Structure formats: C-alpha cells, structure tokens
C-alpha cells in the first residue's frame, strides 16, 4: 500500500519517483527487496526552509526490506550534512517490546519513545478522510473495525511496527530546528500511512508476494509518468543530472588540456612516451557529532 500512498501524494511534479526496485540478498539478513526512490518535495516544505535551499530539491531514499526487518536511508545531494536513517522491525504484539531492534546502551540513553496510535492521535484536517478513519471503517473481507478505545489491549489480531528514527543535520544555527521538523514530519507521515494501511485492508488482504510485486510495478509506472510529465510541463530540470553533466564536461576539458600538454612534450622529445591517468577523489563526510533519535511504535 506504500505504492498507492506514494501515488496519492504525487501531484504537480512533486511526490515519489521510483528509480529502482529489485530483489536483493544480504549476507546477514538474507533475501529481500531493494528500492531507490526520489522524493520531490520542494513545495511541501515550510517557507523558512525553502529560503535556504535551491528552488527544486529532492531526497534520495534507499530501502532494504528483509521483512520483518527493514532499513531505510534518506540523503540529499545538495545538502551533504543531512541524513535520516530508519530501522524497522514488525512484531505480532501491541507495542510491548522494549528493545526489539537491539540498540546499544548509548542509543537507549538518547532514545525518546513515542506511541503512535492510528485511532486516538489527531490528524490534520487537510489529510482527514472519513473512509480512512479507523473509528468508522469496517472491513468487508475480514470483518475488522471499527476500532474503539482500548483497541490495542483487546484486539486478537494485531501487529506493531517499531521504528528507530535517527535524524542528523550538522549545520550550526539550524541543526536543532531542522532535526525537530524532520522528526515531526516523519511522525505525521507514519500516522497517516498506517491509518491508510488499515482502511485499505480489503485491497491488499489475501495478496501473494507476486500480486504485491505486480501491483507495485503498475502503481510505480503510473506515478513516475505523472511526476515526469508535470516536471516537463513546468520546465523543471534534474539538478543532479545537470551537475553530473557539468562535472563530466570539466573532466573532458581537463583531459583535453592534459592531452595538449602531452603532445607538446612529445614534439620536443619524439622518442619519449608517457601515460596519463586521472586521480579519483571522493568527499569524506565529517564525523557526526550526534543524532536526534526517536523510537516510534504503532499498531495496525
């Protein structure tokens, strides 16, 4: 249902564009699924953030799904000191596990625990839909719902998603404000997304893994076309591709200069030969001085 949620959130050239979705095997976690996405979100950011960044911006999401465990990372090419890492584990309980992700003592000291309740927690009016309200919805296929107060304690069939969310933004003067904003935004996305997962149960209940992959493929194609078409109409250029082209041009020019210089040397001394190589360099990210860490729990 993440694919449908992404499609609904994609409009006007903004939303979630899928770059890659493939099977992946990890030597420790085993078989799983890897996805890479671009989250175009310039217009969804508050004005005080937009004043510090380029007009068009996107986050790169890389996710490794080894259900019941997943890892997700978010980075931004134009903001190298910004990073989000989310570790997730799903368990068949109502949120009673204290440390199912086996984090160390240092992380436990920094951890702030929040219980996200898909029934009781308020939803912003602009995101509210009656058909997605757990207090109203009743599944035709399973008979589950509507949820009532205390549902986490009396429900026989229940699952809790445990997420450890680490946000890092190492820029003096903006660090705390950006990290706090990111944590609040992630919490809201998780609340809405899991209300939808419950309310859309009749669409996904009974699906095989093959059905899921086919559904994802169709939704991703539809969403990508919607985003790219809107971006082309608006004249939005892929800044990362542009940057890569600029870098490639610089490298070509440097190679031409080197070749020209080498030719001059060869003319002076015809019997000598030389080989030129390019030195590769990679930026080294600074040590992270600390993370703002939250532990989200919710059941669905």
């Amino acid at each position: 249902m993440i694919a449908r949620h992404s499609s609904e959130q994609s409009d006007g050239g903004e939303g979630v564009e899928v770059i890659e979705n493939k099977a992946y095997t990890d030597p420790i976690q085993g078989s799983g699924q890897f996805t890479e996405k671009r989250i175009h979100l310039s217009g969804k950011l508050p004005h005080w953030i937009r004043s510090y960044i380029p007009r068009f911006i996107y986050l790169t999401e890389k996710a490794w799904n080894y259900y019941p465990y997943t890892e997700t990372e978010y980075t931004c090419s134009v903001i190298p000191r910004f990073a989000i890492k989310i570790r997730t584990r799903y368990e068949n309980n109502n949120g009673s596990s204290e440390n199912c992700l086996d984090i160390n003592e240092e992380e436990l000291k920094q951890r702030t625990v929040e219980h996200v309740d898909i029934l009781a927690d308020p939803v912003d009016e602009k995101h509210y839909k009656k058909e997605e309200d757990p207090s109203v919805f009743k599944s035709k296929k399973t008979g589950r719902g509507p949820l009532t107060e205390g549902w986490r304690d009396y429900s026989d069939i229940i699952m809790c998603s445990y997420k450890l969310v680490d946000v890092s933004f190492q820029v003096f003067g903006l660090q705390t404000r950006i990290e706090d904003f990111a944590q609040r935004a992630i919490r809201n996305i998780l609340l809405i997304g899991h209300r939808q997962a419950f309310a859309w149960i009749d669409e996904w209940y009974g699906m095989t893994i093959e059905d899921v992959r086919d559904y994802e493929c169709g939704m991703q194609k539809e969403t990508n076309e919607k985003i790219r078409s809107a971006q082309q109409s608006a004249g939005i250029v892929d800044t990362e591709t542009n940057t890569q082209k600029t870098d490639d041009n610089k490298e070509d020019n440097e190679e031409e200069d080197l070749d020209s210089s080498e030719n001059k040397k060869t003319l002076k001394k015809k019997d000598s030969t030389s080989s030129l190589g390019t030195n590769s360099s990679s930026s080294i990210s600074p040590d992270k001085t600390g993370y703002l860490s939250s532990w989200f729990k919710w059941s669905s």
Side-chain angles (χ1 to χ4, degrees):
M1 290 298 101
I2 292 176
R4 177 180 166 183
H5 174 81
S6 297
S7 180
E8 289 198 354
Q9 296 300 311
S10 301
D11 186 40
E14 297 196 341
V16 182
E17 177 187 7
V18 179
I19 305 301
E20 191 170 15
N21 186 349
K22 65 180 182 180
Y24 184 85
T25 301
D26 181 85
I28 297 175
Q29 301 295 340
S31 299
Q33 196 77 5
F34 169 78
T35 58
E36 180 177 344
K37 302 174 184 178
R38 289 181 181 178
I39 304 174
H40 303 268
L41 74 175
S42 301
K44 299 182 184 297
L45 296 173
H47 292 289
W48 64 270
I49 291 183
R50 275 185 266 174
S51 62
Y52 293 102
I53 62 175
R55 182 181 176 188
F56 302 111
I57 192 173
Y58 63 81
L59 298 181
T60 297
E61 176 196 281
K62 294 184 178 182
W64 296 263
N65 187 342
Y66 313 103
Y67 182 84
Y69 175 74
T70 69
E71 286 189 4
T72 310
E73 295 179 353
Y74 297 88
T75 56
C76 182
S77 60
V78 299
I79 311 176
R81 296 192 176 191
F82 173 78
I84 298 174
K85 181 175 181 179
I86 302 177
R87 286 171 279 177
T88 304
R89 182 169 294 280
Y90 300 90
E91 291 195 346
N92 294 325
N93 58 48
N94 65 353
S96 55
S97 296
E98 288 300 320
N99 188 14
C100 67
L101 287 165
D102 296 323
I103 64 176
N104 59 43
E105 289 297 323
E106 186 61 32
E107 289 178 308
L108 284 172
K109 291 178 182 178
Q110 298 182 48
R111 184 182 70 174
T112 301
V113 179
E114 290 194 31
H115 292 267
V116 181
D117 190 326
I118 63 173
L119 173 67
D121 288 358
V123 175
D124 192 296
E125 185 177 349
K126 64 182 179 181
H127 295 303
Y128 178 82
K129 295 180 181 179
K130 185 176 181 180
E131 62 271 22
E132 295 174 0
D133 187 339
S135 68
V136 176
F137 169 77
K138 183 175 179 64
S139 169
K140 295 179 180 178
K141 285 186 177 181
T142 67
R144 299 171 195 169
L147 300 182
T148 57
E149 186 177 355
W151 69 277
R152 289 188 298 176
D153 297 322
Y154 65 72
S155 297
D156 295 328
I157 302 174
I158 191 169
M159 174 179 284
C160 183
S161 173
Y162 296 83
K163 290 185 178 285
L164 184 67
V165 182
D166 294 325
V167 180
S168 177
F169 184 68
Q170 303 299 319
V171 176
F172 179 76
L174 288 173
Q175 179 175 358
T176 300
R177 193 175 185 186
I178 292 290
E179 290 179 345
D180 286 346
F181 169 80
Q183 291 282 5
R184 291 195 306 272
I186 291 169
R187 190 189 194 283
N188 288 336
I189 291 170
L190 297 178
L191 173 60
I192 294 169
H194 286 80
R195 283 168 63 97
Q196 291 174 334
F198 175 72
W200 296 344
I201 189 171
D202 288 343
E203 295 185 35
W204 57 261
Y205 184 80
M207 274 189 173
T208 64
I209 190 63
E210 290 77 17
D211 294 334
V212 171
R213 297 293 174 239
D214 289 343
Y215 181 84
E216 286 179 341
C217 185
M219 292 300 296
Q220 289 166 6
K221 182 178 180 181
E222 177 185 315
T223 304
N224 284 0
E225 289 176 352
K226 182 164 54 173
I227 291 175
R228 290 167 185 170
S229 175
Q231 288 179 342
Q232 289 174 0
S233 299
I236 299 175
V237 180
D238 186 334
T239 54
E240 188 170 279
T241 302
N242 246 15
T243 302
Q244 184 62 47
K245 288 181 179 178
T246 302
D247 291 342
D248 291 342
N249 289 337
K250 286 181 180 178
E251 289 178 5
D252 291 340
N253 291 335
E254 288 173 358
E255 289 178 2
E256 288 176 4
D257 291 341
L258 288 170
D259 289 341
S260 177
S261 175
E262 185 60 27
N263 287 334
K264 290 178 182 177
K265 290 180 183 178
T266 305
L267 288 173
K268 290 180 180 179
K269 191 175 181 180
K270 294 182 180 180
D271 294 335
S272 67
T273 58
S274 65
S275 61
L276 295 177
T278 56
N279 294 325
S280 61
S281 61
S282 60
S283 59
I284 301 175
S285 58
D287 292 337
K288 296 177 181 176
T289 57
Y291 276 101
L292 180 66
S293 179
S294 288
W295 178 281
F296 295 117
K297 299 182 181 182
W298 66 90
S299 306
S300 58

